[in-house]
Every structure is written in structure tokens, then in C-alpha cells.
């Protein structure tokens, strides 16, 4: 054993994010003091990011099974059957901390990382999505962060040639010091050619492919597992640098090799680089691994074993090949101009043995390190129930059209065109529904099938009532998929929360999970992959709890999808679902009354299911020409968006007397859809039979106006400029 | 026997729209193009050579600069001198200007941002095998997706291009008029596509291959591929 000159002091242990108890465990596992390299390896493997030590207990409770699920959580990405021997492979992952420190590279490498997770499984990535949360638009850093993050996503995704087709963006002061960048990739694979990380065959060579290793990103996993403080900027060297060109080559080379019968196991080097990939492969295969770090291709000189094991240089993979395949594999990677190096072998010892400079730098029993990784049952405290809103406390607005104009031009609801026009959303020639609708629809090449995909979360609901918010996020994703006509298959989740060591944060986590679990169960919508990002706090200020749901659905025939755009004048607008005018935690309350308060709309999952199943059947039977789910901003925003998406049509809403107009128009009751139809009688009959509430609330027009009540009408062009202008003007700094 | 148009796609490390282009060519001509890797010194026999979009060599030096120094591109220049039809789209257009088959250069977009959206394009000439199926002044909607589409050439070159009717396409507004707003990448004289002197080499910034499928919205790219197929079969 090589004894480094650096002695393992208490300060050094703390700097590695390890607690006293965790260090004691290391001493027991090794039966001696660790070397510096070993300390680094334990620190990375036991970081929150890699070990899920605070969240594991709760994640285990989520439904992960269903007849469609081929691979649930625990691999690089989830795998779901879409028939005809094909599978969809997808996952979402956060790159929050790096994106705050260096927005372009942080976001770019977030995209690169999630792409690798998907093509590691043998899938060709066919779509990217992203869920972004920024601080208050007036915060001095926000504009710079929006600009950098969008450019980073654009730069990486466009160059590698995968369309970025969907996403969501929120602005809120709770993200001022801690933005969220969650990137999702969806890929397609043959169901019988999925690649996993578990290695087999002692003696088989361990091969490093892709880009060379440098000193970038050392300790990224540990950084992603700590709170931010004022010195965040000083952490810049721990942000990785992305190279989408190399990733494109790596993607093509891997897929080319995967078409051969050559790979036993493959794992991308993501967080904690060589450490986590080697431990993952050997650990899952119940084997040992010996690595000779002198063979690792490097682009910097004199890198130590510690640095090589912890570097998070991008665009790298670790593989175990069938020995006879090595020459063929080498030829493929060399043709793509990528490094290919045998850096070790599988062993039967069950130990990870790291050699460098003719000395053993680390010798760790893998199973104990993985099995004894910390798992905490953190103290948690239930979020107190919010008060119900008393509508009598509200002042009815003077002008409904003015309210609509303000809300549709508010930061959270303004058009995201400025963003998605920077993303190549058309490449690969399969984009059936472009960004801007409820969910994107991507055709499955050479078939009639299509995939619908969306990302959703309403953090203000989650903060007010985590359980409701968790259920709502899942239900809204399910609803968005349904609104295109797709059958929801499964989802991936990105749990973004504050410091889990605080009981009220852990309470938010537990509450959101409980809601997600209930929704996943009732809606037959299991979780197949996910990522947890904790410690999203700056100077003790946590973000809003943000459990982002990335949902994927299947259309048997892409020609039968629907969009939000109104198609024909005089078609009836039928509102499916019950409207009570719920304004607690609504956008209306925030933008017009200046209050983020009270209880969010309740989520009735059985109603969600019945309403969604009806809407999907209507779309399948060609009975509706347009469909939009009702969410932020309620009915008025939905009808406005349907008109704005159309080719010049307007809409007229009927008078109603059940509710005050502002509550009727802007309430955010759940489980609702607005559909346009030429067959309203048949639609209402179908709804009645299904026991679903539905009624005609208006019709499409060709007068170029939006009529909210008999007395309140506004030209669509006014709404359009409010909607379209906010983001570009904001980004210009005016 | 009916002779199909034989097309070849030149690909580089970082090319990424070859699949889209192959789909459009196959739809029009009934047979898939042959893909040729940049290291090839001998090109197969072809009626049409296409250089598709992407980020050849990552475009890290200057869009198209590295690609123009490859063996395959040297062969493309030879074929061009023999009168073989050559289509360069997006990155392909950039490569054709870098290698000198077309005049001018494509600079960073005026707004300094990547632009992906459908633009209105006016057909400026039908006097070439690429645009024969359109009508002069016809307005079509074709998507663009690029960072560097800002066409630049000196005034003398631009005058010559205009004088020789070698401007194939321009960016226009919905009324068919050129304007600053309709030309988001800032191209000189709103140029979207140009021809070489013998009118058999076209460089085109928008992506006609992404407007050839009714399921994806828009068929305005079809006449380009159909005309080529008819002329070259």
C-alpha cells in the first residue's frame, strides 16, 4: 500500500463532506486508515448525489412496476416497452449547482450527462427536454443566468443533433441564489438490446473510451451535495467543460459497437467519474476490479491517482468487452478519433484495487462500501395545512381583459419562444408537435407510432401543501400527455429540495413523495428513473420544493394526435371537469392580488383518471379537433393559448352566473381540459355515460377577438403582444 | 429500364442532418443515398452530391473550415468541375464557401443566437435544376436551424450574383417583401441561397429536407427534391 505524505486530518475528512460516523465506518471497512485516494473514493460514493442517503427511504415507496416496464429505477435510465420489439429509454437529471456557478458549461454538461445515461443503455436519443427555474426577474443575476443556461443547452443539444422539443420555465425569488436546471433525454432502443452496467467474467478487460481525462470537475458530486455560500464563485474549477462534438462521436461509436455482439457491460462516467463507474460495474456484477491508472488517457500532466479517480471530465465511458471483440471495438473507436485504452480487468476478489506509479493507491472491498453506504432516516416534520382562501377577502378586478393581459404576459406564463427558437427542435425529422403545446410529439421512425413527452411541476403548490403538490405534478404530466391523445406510460422524476438535515425540508420531501406515490398508483403511471438534488439552499434560504415530473406517453398512430390550436370557427368549446373557481395559490392571486397564499387546488385522482380517459377516447375517435389541459391561469389562459396557437381564430366564452367571473376564468381547479369539437352532443353524451362533468362553455370564432363575458372582449393581437413580448424584452434588458 | 437518380451524402465527424436529408432524397427518388465518409478519396458515381447540415468537426475553428480540407471534399471539387450537381445545405453551404465552390462566407447570426424556426423564403430564379419546380417569386416556408447563416460577400460579388441571376432564394416577410425583420440572421441582401457560375452548385441555408413530410407540417421542400430527381434520373 502506498502511503501518501498527506495525513488524514479531521479537517480533511470534513472537507470531503464525511461525518465522524461515516469516517469511523471507513476505518471498520478497511481495517486501517484510508489513503487520500481512498478517502476521495469513499467521499464521492457516500455523497448525497451518489448514495441517495437521505432520500432512499422515501424513494423506495414509489410505484415502479407495470406490465410496460422493462427496467425501473437503479440503472442509467428507465426502459419501457412500446410494442413491436421497441423500447423507450428515458431519464431526467439535475445540474443545478454547476449551472449557477457557470451557466453555459453547467447547463451544457447537464445535457451531455443525461444524453450519455440514455445512450449507455443502447438507445439512440431522439429528444431532449428541460425544466428550468430561475430567480426573480428583477434579481441582478437572473438575466445572465437565463441567457447562459439557454445558450448552454442550445449549444450542446444542437451540435450533437438531438432535438430539444419541450420544457418549462418558472421565475421565483426562492431560486435567486440557487437556480434549477433539470435535463431530460428520451431515446429509442430495441427491447432485446438493452445494455446494463453489471459486469461479468473475471479476467475480462476493462476499457476506457471517449475523451481524455483532465482535472475538471474534481469533487463535483461532493459540491452537488452541499449548500451554497457566498464563495460559490470560488467553486468554478469544479464545473466540468462540455464538448458536444466529442459526445456526438462517442454516441455514434457506442451505437455502432452496440450493434455488434461485443459489449458485456457499459457505464458512463458521470458524477464521480471513474470512481462511480468502476464501483457500479464491479459491484453490480459482484466482482472485483483492478485498474492501472497509468493507462488512463490524460490531457494534463502529472495527475495523481486521487485526481484521476475523481475527475468529472466529460464524454467518457467505461466498458467491459468480450475479450475477442477488443480489436473490432478498438477499430471503431479509432475511426471516430476517440481514445480507447485497456485500463484494467475484472477480478474475483470483490475489491477495487487502484494501481499507479508501481504502487497500490487504493484497495477497497466493494460490497461493504456499497452495502454500508450511509442511509439516513432523517427527522421530518409535516408541513402545516394551509388555510383555505376566503373569496370574500378578494377585490373583484375592474377589467377582466386587463387581468388576462397581465397574467398571460407575466414571467411564468409569457411565451417561451425566445428560448425554444434557440433549440434545434426539428432535427431528426420526426417532430410532429413542436414546442409550445401541452406535450411534444415525436414520431417513432419507420412506424405509425409516436411518443408524447412533457416536464411538469408547480412548486408553489408543493410549498403550500407538499402532498397535493406532489400529486398535482404527476397528474399534470399525465394530463399533458393525455391532451395530445397519448396513453401515458411512465415517468422519471427530479426531486429538487433544500437541506434534508432540516426537518421541515424533509417534511416537504416526504409529503411530495406521498402525493406522487398516490398519483402514480391511481393513474397506473409508474416511475422508472430519477434523480435527487438536495441542499438547494443559499445562505440558509431554501428553494421551493420542486419535484419535476418528466412524463412519456405513446400514440399508436401519430396521425391521431391533437394539438392545442383551434382549427375551425363555430366549433363548440367543451370544458371537461368541474370548475369551482379555486384561487388559492393561483397565478391570479399572485399576479393580481400580490399574494402567494392559502391552499392549492385539491387533486382528486379518481376524477383525473376518469376525465383523462374520456378525453383520450374522444381524441382517438376523432371527435375533438383541439385539446388543452387547464393549469396555471385556468380557463381564460387555456382558451387564449388555444386561440393564439391557431391561424387567426378567436374564441367566445358564454355568460355564466354560477361564480364570480374572475374566479370562473382564472381559478385553477384540477382535472380539467378544454376541447374544441364539431360533435358537441356526442361529446356530452359520452361524458355523461362516463360519469364525467362536461359542458359547453363557448365556441371558436373568426373575429380575431377573445370574448370572456358579454361585456369583456379583447383583440387577440393585444393578448399576443403581451404574451410574446415579455421574454425578449426582458432579455434585452428593457 | 428507368434509371434512378444516384445521390451521395458526404459526412464528417459532427455531421448530424444526414438522416433527415437521406429521408427526403429517398422519398423523392425512391432510393436511399450512399453515405460517404470524409476520408474517402474516391467518390462513387453520382448524379447528385449532397453535403448535409451539422457541425463538422464541431465547427470549433470556423464553420466548415476543417471539413473543406478533407479528401472527400477535394473529390467534390473535381466532380463539380465535371458538372456534377452539388447541393450544400446549412453546414454544407458553409463548407462550399470555405472550399471556394461558392463565393462569400457565412458569419455568426446578427442576433448572435441560434435560430430554429420556419422562415418565409422567396424563390428568386427557376433557371436551375434545383428550383425548376417552383415559380419565380413563389413564397415558401422552410425551417432554418443555424448559428452562422449571416451571408456576407463584398458589394462587387453581390452585384455580380444579382447580375448573373445567381441568387436562388431570399428571406422575405409574409407579404413576400425583403425586410430587416424577415432576415433574422442578417444576411447581405437577404440572401438565403446562391448558385455557382454554371448553376449546378447550390448553397442553401434553410433545411428543405425538413419540409418534405405532411406529418411534420409543410411540404414546401418537396419541389426541390422532385425537380432534382426528374432532372437527374
Amino acid at each position: 500500500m502506498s502511503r501518501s505524505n498527506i495525513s488524514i486530518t479531521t479537517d480533511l475528512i470534513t472537507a470531503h463532506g464525511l461525518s465522524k460516523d461515516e469516517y469511523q465506518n471507513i476505518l471498520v471497512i478497511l481495517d486501517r486508515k484510508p489513503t487520500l485516494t481512498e478517502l476521495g473514493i469513499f467521499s464521492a460514493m457516500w455523497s448525497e448525489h451518489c448514495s441517495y442517503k437521505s432520500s432512499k427511504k422515501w424513494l423506495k415507496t414509489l410505484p415502479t412496476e407495470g406490465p410496460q416496464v422493462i427496467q425501473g429505477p437503479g440503472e442509467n435510465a428507465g426502459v419501457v416497452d412500446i410494442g413491436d420489439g421497441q423500447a423507450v429509454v428515458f431519464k431526467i437529471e439535475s445540474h443545478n449547482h454547476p449551472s449557477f456557478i457557470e451557466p453555459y458549461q453547467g447547463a451544457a454538461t447537464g445535457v451531455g450527462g443525461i444524453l450519455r445515461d440514455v445512450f449507455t443503455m443502447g438507445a439512440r436519443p431522439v429528444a431532449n427536454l428541460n425544466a428550468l427555474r430561475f430567480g426573480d426577474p428583477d434579481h441582478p443575476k437572473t438575466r445572465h443566468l437565463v441567457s447562459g443556461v439557454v445558450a448552454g443547452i442550445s449549444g450542446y443539444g444542437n451540435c450533437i443533433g438531438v432535438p430539444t422539443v419541450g420544457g418549462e420555465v418558472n421565475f421565483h425569488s426562492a431560486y435567486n441564489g440557487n437556480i434549477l436546471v433539470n435535463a431530460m433525454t428520451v431515446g429509442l432502443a430495441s427491447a432485446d438490446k438493452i445494455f446494463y452496467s453489471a459486469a461479468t467474467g473475471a479476467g475480462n478487460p476493462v476499457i476506457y473510451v471517449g475523451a481524455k481525462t483532465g482535472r475538471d470537475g474534481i469533487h463535483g458530486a461532493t459540491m452537488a451535495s452541499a449548500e451554497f455560500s457566498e464563495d460559490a464563485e470560488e467553486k468554478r474549477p469544479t464545473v466540468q467543460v462540455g464538448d458536444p462534438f466529442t459526445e456526438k462521436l462517442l454516441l455514434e461509436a457506442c451505437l455502432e459497437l452496440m450493434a455488434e455482439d461485443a459489449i458485456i457491460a457499459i457505464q458512463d462516467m458521470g458524477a464521480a467519474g471513474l470512481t462511480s463507474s468502476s464501483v457500479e460495474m464491479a459491484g453490480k456484477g459482484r466482482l472485483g476490479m483492478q485498474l492501472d491508472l497509468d493507462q488512463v488517457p490524460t490531457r494534463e500532466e502529472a495527475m495523481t491517482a486521487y485526481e484521476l479517480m475523481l475527475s468529472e471530465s466529460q464524454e467518457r465511458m467505461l466498458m467491459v468487452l468480450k475479450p475477442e471483440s477488443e480489436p473490432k471495438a478498438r477499430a471503431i473507436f479509432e475511426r471516430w478519433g476517440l481514445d480507447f485504452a485497456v485500463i484494467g480487468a475484472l477480478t474475483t476478489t470483490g475489491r477495487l484495487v487502484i494501481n499507479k506509479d508501481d504502487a497500490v493507491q487504493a484497495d477497497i472491498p466493494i460490497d461493504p462500501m456499497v452495502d454500508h453506504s450511509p442511509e439516513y432516516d432523517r427527522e421530518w416534520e409535516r408541513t402545516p395545512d394551509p388555510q383555505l382562501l376566503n373569496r370574500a377577502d378578494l377585490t373583484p378586478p375592474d377589467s377582466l381583459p386587463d387581468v388576462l393581459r397581465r397574467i398571460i404576459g407575466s414571467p411564468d406564463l409569457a411565451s417561451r419562444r425566445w428560448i425554444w427558437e434557440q433549440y434545434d427542435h426539428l432535427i431528426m425529422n420526426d417532430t410532429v408537435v413542436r414546442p409550445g403545446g401541452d406535450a411534444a410529439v415525436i414520431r417513432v421512425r419507420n412506424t405509425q407510432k409516436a411518443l408524447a413527452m412533457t416536464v411538469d411541476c408547480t412548486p408553489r403548490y408543493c410549498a403550500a401543501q407538499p402532498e397535493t403538490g406532489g400529486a398535482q405534478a404527476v397528474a399534470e404530466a399525465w394530463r399533458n400527455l393525455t391532451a395530445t391523445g397519448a396513453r401515458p406510460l411512465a415517468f422519471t422524476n427530479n426531486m429538487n429540495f433544500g437541506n434534508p438535515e432540516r426537518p421541515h425540508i424533509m417534511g416537504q420531501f416526504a409529503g411530495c413523495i406521498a402525493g406522487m406515490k398516490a398519483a402514480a398508483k391511481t393513474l397506473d403511471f409508474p416511475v422508472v428513473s430519477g434523480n435527487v438534488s438536495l441542499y438547494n439552499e443559499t445562505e440558509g434560504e431554501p428553494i421551493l420544493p420542486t419535484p419535476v415530473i418528466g412524463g412519456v406517453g405513446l400514440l399508436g398512430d401519430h396521425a391521431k394526435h391533437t394539438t392545442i390550436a383551434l382549427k375551425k370557427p363555430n366549433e363548440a368549446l367543451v370544458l371537461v371537469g368541474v370548475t369551482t373557481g379555486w384561487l388559492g395559490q393561483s397565478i391570479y392571486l399572485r399576479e393580481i392580488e400580490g399574494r402567494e397564499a392559502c391552499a392549492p387546488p385539491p387533486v382528486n385522482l379518481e376524477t383525473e383518471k376518469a376525465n383523462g380517459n374520456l378525453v383520450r377516447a374522444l381524441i382517438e375517435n376523432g371527435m375533438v379537433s383541439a385539446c388543452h389541459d387547464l393549469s396555471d391561469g385556468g380557463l381564460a389562459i387555456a382558451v387564449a393559448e388555444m386561440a393564439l396557437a391557431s391561424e387567426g381564430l378567436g374564441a367566445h366564452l358564454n355568460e355564466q352566473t354560477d361564480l364570480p367571473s374572475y374566479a370562473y376564468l382564472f381559478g385553477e381547479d384540477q382535472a380539467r381540459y378544454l376541447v374544441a369539437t364539431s360533435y358537441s352532443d356526442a361529446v356530452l353524451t359520452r361524458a355523461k355515460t362516463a360519469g364525467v362533468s362536461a359542458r359547453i362553455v363557448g365556441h371558436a370564432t373568426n373575429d380575431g377577438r377573445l370574448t370572456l363575458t358579454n361585456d369583456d372582449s379583447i383583440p387577440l393581437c393585444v393578448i399576443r403582444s403581451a404574451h410574446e413580448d415579455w421574454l425578449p424584452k426582458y432579455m434585452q434588458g428593457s | 429500364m428507368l434509371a434512378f437518380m444516384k445521390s451521395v451524402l458526404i459526412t464528417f465527424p459532427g455531421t448530424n442532418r444526414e438522416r433527415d436529408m437521406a429521408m427526403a432524397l429517398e422519398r423523392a427518388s425512391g432510393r436511399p443515398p450512399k453515405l460517404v465518409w470524409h476520408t474517402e478519396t474516391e467518390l462513387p458515381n453520382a448524379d447528385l452530391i449532397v453535403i448535409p447540415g451539422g457541425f463538422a468537426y464541431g465547427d470549433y475553428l470556423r464553420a466548415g473550415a476543417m471539413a473543406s480540407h478533407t479528401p472527400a471534399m477535394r473529390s467534390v471539387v473535381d466532380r463539380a468541375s465535371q458538372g456534377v450537381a452539388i447541393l450544400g445545405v446549412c453546414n454544407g453551404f458553409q463548407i462550399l464557401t470555405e472550399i471556394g465552390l461558392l463565393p462569400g462566407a457565412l458569419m455568426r447570426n446578427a442576433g448572435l443566437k441560434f435560430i430554429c424556426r420556419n422562415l418565409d423564403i422567396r424563390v428568386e430564379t427557376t433557371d436551375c435544376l434545383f428550383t425548376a419546380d417552383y415559380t419565380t417569386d413563389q413564397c415558401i416556408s422552410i425551417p432554418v436551424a443555424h448559428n452562422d447563416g449571416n451571408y456576407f460577400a463584398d458589394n462587387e460579388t453581390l452585384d455580380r450574383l444579382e447580375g448573373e441571376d445567381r441568387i436562388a432564394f431570399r428571406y422575405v416577410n409574409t407579404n413576400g417583401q425583403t425586410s430587416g425583420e424577415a432576415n433574422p440572421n442578417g444576411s447581405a441582401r437577404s440572401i438565403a441561397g446562391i448558385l455557382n457560375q454554371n448553376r449546378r452548385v447550390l448553397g442553401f441555408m434553410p433545411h428543405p429536407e425538413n419540409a418534405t413530410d405532411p406529418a411534420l407540417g409543410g411540404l414546401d421542400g418537396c419541389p426541390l427534391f422532385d425537380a432534382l430527381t426528374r432532372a437527374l434520373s
Side-chain angles (χ1 to χ4, degrees), chain A residues 267-290:
Chain A
Q267 173 74 35
D268 84 294
M269 292 190 226
L274 200 46
T275 291
S276 65
S277 53
S278 56
V279 169
E280 185 90 0
M281 291 177 86
K284 280 198 176 144
R286 300 271 144 192
L287 288 168
M289 190 182 283
Q290 163 273 320

Side-chain angles (χ1 to χ4, degrees), chain A residues 243 421 424 429 434 443, chain B residues 17 60 116-118 210 213:
Chain A
D243 175 2
E421 284 191 345
D424 191 338
N429 230 11
R434 300 180 183 190
R443 183 173 56 188
Chain B
R17 253 185 170 86
Y60 288 154
C116 177
R117 66 167 185 253
N118 271 57
N210 289 127
D213 189 332

Side-chain angles (χ1 to χ4, degrees), chain A residues 149-201:
Chain A
V149 165
V150 171
I153 293 171
S154 153
Y156 207 99
N158 297 349
C159 181
I160 197 168
V162 175
T164 302
V165 296
E168 60 166 356
V169 186
N170 284 155
F171 294 88
H172 193 284
S173 57
Y175 305 101
N176 280 352
N178 200 127
I179 62 170
L180 302 184
V181 174
N182 297 174
M184 173 170 166
T185 294
V186 181
L188 283 167
S190 293
D192 62 353
K193 286 211 103 174
I194 305 293
F195 291 82
Y196 297 101
S197 53
T200 60

Side-chain angles (χ1 to χ4, degrees), chain A residues 98-112:
Chain A
S99 300
F100 182 75
I101 300 172
E102 212 308 288
Y104 186 98
Q105 292 298 345
T109 52
V111 174

Side-chain angles (χ1 to χ4, degrees), chain B residues 66-86:
Chain B
M66 298 273 288
S68 67
H69 290 281
T70 55
M73 280 314 295
R74 282 193 285 275
S75 303
V76 169
V77 173
D78 290 344
R79 291 293 174 88
S81 66
Q82 296 158 20
V84 173
I86 294 165

Side-chain angles (χ1 to χ4, degrees), chain A residues 572-576 615 618 624 626-628 642 673-677 683:
Chain A
L573 297 174
V574 175
L575 179 59
V576 175
V615 167
L618 295 175
V624 305
C627 179
H628 196 0
M642 291 174 83
Y673 302 79
L674 190 62
V675 300
T677 177
V683 166

Side-chain angles (χ1 to χ4, degrees), chain A residues 622-691:
Chain A
M623 291 165 74
V624 305
S625 67
C627 179
H628 196 0
D629 105 293
L630 268 60
S631 52
D632 284 353
L635 174 63
I637 293 299
V639 75
E641 286 175 347
M642 291 174 83
L644 289 176
S646 77
E647 291 182 13
L649 297 185
H652 177 103
L653 293 181
N654 301 339
E655 281 299 289
Q656 59 81 40
T657 51
D658 305 348
L659 291 167
S661 294
Y662 65 96
Y664 173 71
L665 291 168
F666 299 103
E668 296 181 4
D669 299 280
Q670 297 295 297
R672 294 188 302 160
Y673 302 79
L674 190 62
V675 300
T677 177
S678 293
Y679 314 98
S680 54
D681 290 346
V683 166
L684 295 178
T685 308
R686 288 284 291 262
K688 199 170 179 189
T689 314

